[in-house]
Amino acid sequence: MDLDEYRLRARAWLEANVTGAEVEGASDTGGVTAAKTFMARLYDAGYSGITWPREWGGQGLTQAEERVFAGEAKDFTLPTYVFSIGLGMCGPTLVDLGTPEQKARHLRPLLRGEEIWCQLFSEPGAGSDVAALQTRATPAEDGWVVNGQKVWTSVAQHASFGLLLTRTDVDVPKHKGLSMFIVDMRAPGVTVRPLRDMTGRSHFNEIFFDDVHIPAENLIGQVNDGWSCAVTTLLHERLSISSGVGMGGQKDNPVAFESLRHTVDTADPVVKDQLVELYIRSRALALFNQRLSQETKAGIFPGARGSAAKLLLAELTMFQADLATSLVGPEAVAYEDDGGPAESIALAPAMSLGGGTNEIMRNIVGDRVLNLPPEPRMDKSVPFRDLKVSGGSSA
Ligand SMILES: Cc1cc2nc3c(=O)[nH]c(=O)nc-3n(C[C@H](O)[C@H](O)[C@H](O)COP(=O)(O)OP(=O)(O)OC[C@H]3O[C@@H](n4cnc5c(N)ncnc54)[C@H](O)[C@@H]3O)c2cc1C
């Protein structure tokens, strides 16, 4: 099918199947059930996992089809938020690094929205410096036993599975003693506590692991090679956050350009100027993302430039929220439960933290894109056991 025909079919499917009602209450249990029903329809129509391999449930198509679908989906609001971690990070990591058995078991239910996934990297003492994490996996009969705590874990309250980064060796430097596992979020010993953020909703959670058993076959990659697995996940994370591919659009975002231009006084030259700047920055980022995905298609891996795209999106989101705050008046603080400008404004700072902070993105761009001298790292060759880490002893 040529791309024009693909576009027409995708458009027709979206118009017939996205009513807007399916995003309501997207983070409560009823909303999640409706979102899962929608996701199954999206999958059955062939629009979930567009570029994923056919043998694992994907469509086996190219970035070109994915971009076409994303371009059409931008005019709709899809209820895909709870699936974003699985589709954008965990699934692509499994495609790259999973065993055939792991792929066969997990990828299709993930794509179809039957099983929600979360990413269990950050801890109270390990966010930017995630390699300092202290959650331990120790060998046991038939597998591993995990103890520790994670935090900031998005959508974990709805998740069936998580991608878990743990410490498996304290006698080697911190990056060399990590391993990655698939963890069943309903396993005995896993406690999920939702945390309320300033929107009033619970987008993320804290998770406690008390003697949680993980079967040996749930290891991803090799023992103690978890850092390179984590880097794979983080690269996918930055690209998926900045490009928003598969996530549906900004149509109903009350602080995005398309909404603001219809709700504010565009006859005012100052307002017009600010809107033009918002448009230019949004367009420049969209074109940069398009270039990165074209390069990926041509076999050129975007690497650390994905961090530049993520940084630009975080800065654009804050610019957009600041602009909306000055333009929409009392609505900027008058919080509506159905999500008005106030909710989007309150959510904006999250983009500068989640997926890596702006400072860390700048460090990566400076180090790996611009080849500036790297940050000094005193702890790179010291065994983890001998490091002072947040929360006390590392051993
Ligand atoms: C909405 C949201 C969703 C999230 N979802 C998930 C999730 O699903 N799974 C998950 O594992 N994590 C998740 N996170 C966690 C996120 O990855 C961390 O918040 C982030 O990595 C920062 O870690 P931290 O909060 O511990 O801050 P810290 O690392 O303690 O940083 C504090 C401040 O110090 C700065 N800083 C730290 N180190 C440096 C440095 N070397 N140079 C310059 N400045 C530095 C930071 O930029 C920041 O301003 C989420 C976060 C948010 C906000």
Side-chain angles (χ1 to χ4, degrees):
M1 188 187 320
D2 73 18
L3 283 184
D4 284 338
E5 192 184 343
Y6 187 83
R7 183 188 310 280
L8 286 175
R9 284 201 191 182
R11 183 90 201 173
W13 189 88
L14 288 162
E15 281 172 356
N17 288 278
V18 185
T19 63
E22 53 283 277
V23 286
E24 280 165 23
S27 54
D28 64 38
T29 311
V32 169
T33 307
K36 283 183 162 188
T37 306
F38 175 83
M39 201 63 203
R41 286 216 311 277
L42 188 75
Y43 176 84
D44 294 343
Y47 299 119
S48 173
I50 292 171
T51 57
W52 293 29
R54 264 187 174 283
E55 64 178 317
W56 309 121
Q59 296 300 314
L61 297 174
T62 68
Q63 298 271 343
E65 280 87 2
E66 181 156 79
R67 264 205 321 279
V68 165
F69 185 77
E72 295 306 313
K74 277 203 165 53
D75 294 338
F76 301 81
T77 302
L78 309 189
T80 45
Y81 166 70
V82 284
F83 311 109
S84 55
I85 305 281
L87 292 170
M89 297 153 220
C90 306
T93 303
L94 285 182
V95 170
D96 289 348
L97 306 174
T99 63
E101 292 75 21
Q102 289 168 349
K103 293 179 191 182
R105 161 64 187 84
H106 291 293
L107 291 178
R108 195 180 301 266
L110 186 159
L111 280 177
R112 213 167 172 270
E114 291 161 11
E115 291 170 345
I116 292 170
W117 280 67
C118 63
Q119 175 208 15
L120 298 144
F121 285 17
S122 305
E123 298 185 2
S128 300
D129 185 13
V130 74
L133 61 83
Q134 297 178 64
T135 294
R136 290 278 285 271
T138 42
E141 208 179 317
D142 299 337
W144 301 81
V145 171
V146 175
N147 282 285
Q149 185 195 347
K150 297 286 172 179
V151 75
W152 294 105
T153 319
S154 304
V155 307
Q157 69 270 48
H158 308 296
S160 304
F161 293 97
L163 215 52
L164 172 68
L165 198 58
T166 64
R167 184 154 308 280
T168 37
D169 192 342
V170 293
D171 293 320
V172 291
K174 62 181 180 180
H175 291 89
K176 299 197 167 145
L178 301 172
S179 301
M180 187 184 271
F181 296 95
I182 297 168
V183 62
D184 179 348
M185 294 300 288
R186 312 272 153 74
V190 179
T191 306
V192 179
R193 287 203 203 136
L195 296 167
R196 196 169 284 264
D197 61 42
M198 69 177 163
T199 65
R201 300 188 201 274
S202 294
H203 289 92
F204 40 71
N205 304 263
E206 56 182 350
I207 318 289
F208 298 87
F209 294 96
D210 294 299
D211 288 333
V212 176
H213 180 261
I214 297 188
E217 63 267 23
N218 283 19
L219 176 73
I220 295 179
Q222 305 296 315
V223 175
N224 290 344
D225 195 30
W227 183 248
S228 74
C229 301
V231 168
T232 300
T233 310
L234 294 173
L235 287 173
H236 284 300
E237 174 171 33
R238 278 151 206 171
L239 281 175
S240 79
I241 291 177
S242 62
S243 67
V245 162
M247 294 300 110
Q250 295 257 308
K251 177 178 169 277
D252 295 331
N253 179 351
V255 302
F257 173 79
E258 278 307 324
S259 304
L260 285 180
R261 69 185 288 201
H262 295 301
T263 51
V264 300
D265 177 12
T266 48
D268 180 328
V270 175
V271 171
K272 208 187 306 187
D273 209 37
Q274 290 168 321
L275 280 179
V276 167
E277 181 168 353
L278 177 58
Y279 177 78
I280 290 171
R281 289 175 65 163
S282 310
R283 192 79 190 110
L285 177 60
L287 291 173
F288 184 41
N289 278 320
Q290 189 174 323
R291 177 176 167 168
L292 292 183
S293 58
Q294 275 168 348
E295 287 183 3
T296 309
K297 186 182 156 207
I300 304 166
F301 197 50
R305 286 175 306 145
S307 297
K310 200 270 164 179
L311 172 63
L312 288 171
L313 177 65
E315 291 189 329
L316 173 64
T317 306
M318 280 310 289
F319 175 77
Q320 185 171 273
D322 284 346
L323 180 58
T325 304
S326 68
L327 294 181
V328 302
E331 273 194 73
V333 289
Y335 192 86
E336 301 281 348
D337 202 32
D338 59 355
E343 182 171 7
S344 299
I345 289 165
L347 269 177
M351 188 55 79
S352 307
L353 299 169
T357 67
N358 289 5
E359 291 75 23
I360 296 300
M361 295 303 110
R362 285 198 180 88
N363 284 349
I364 294 172
V365 171
D367 182 357
R368 289 185 232 149
V369 180
L370 303 176
N371 290 322
L372 298 174
E375 283 212 321
R377 288 202 192 143
M378 310 312 218
D379 56 2
K380 223 179 161 182
S381 53
V382 182
F384 184 73
R385 176 186 289 287
D386 298 334
L387 294 180
K388 284 233 172 304
V389 290
S390 168
S393 157
S394 54

